[in-house]
Amino acid sequence: MDAGNNGVMTLADRMLPPRKAGVLIPGPQAHAAKLAFEKYFLWKARNGHVRLP
């Protein structure tokens, strides 16, 4: 999730309700992970590597 200059990671036991446990972890490392994933996803889409995870 986006939170300005920081980010928030959500760790949950399931994506859909009913969730038994959920934790929000704020910090700049979450924002950096989001930016890294965005760059990887755009690179993958532009170069046609659709079978990569």
Side-chain angles (χ1 to χ4, degrees):
M1 296 183 336
D2 193 19
N5 290 336
N6 285 329
V8 178
M9 285 190 270
T10 303
L11 300 175
D13 58 348
R14 295 186 204 157
M15 291 298 292
L16 299 175
R19 291 182 193 94
K20 293 182 182 172
V23 177
L24 295 175
I25 304 172
Q29 70 275 12
H31 185 67
K34 184 182 75 151
L35 291 177
F37 175 75
E38 179 183 359
K39 289 180 187 289
Y40 167 73
F41 184 81
L42 291 175
W43 170 84
K44 185 175 89 161
R46 286 183 186 135
N47 294 310
H49 299 291
V50 295
R51 295 200 183 263
L52 289 176

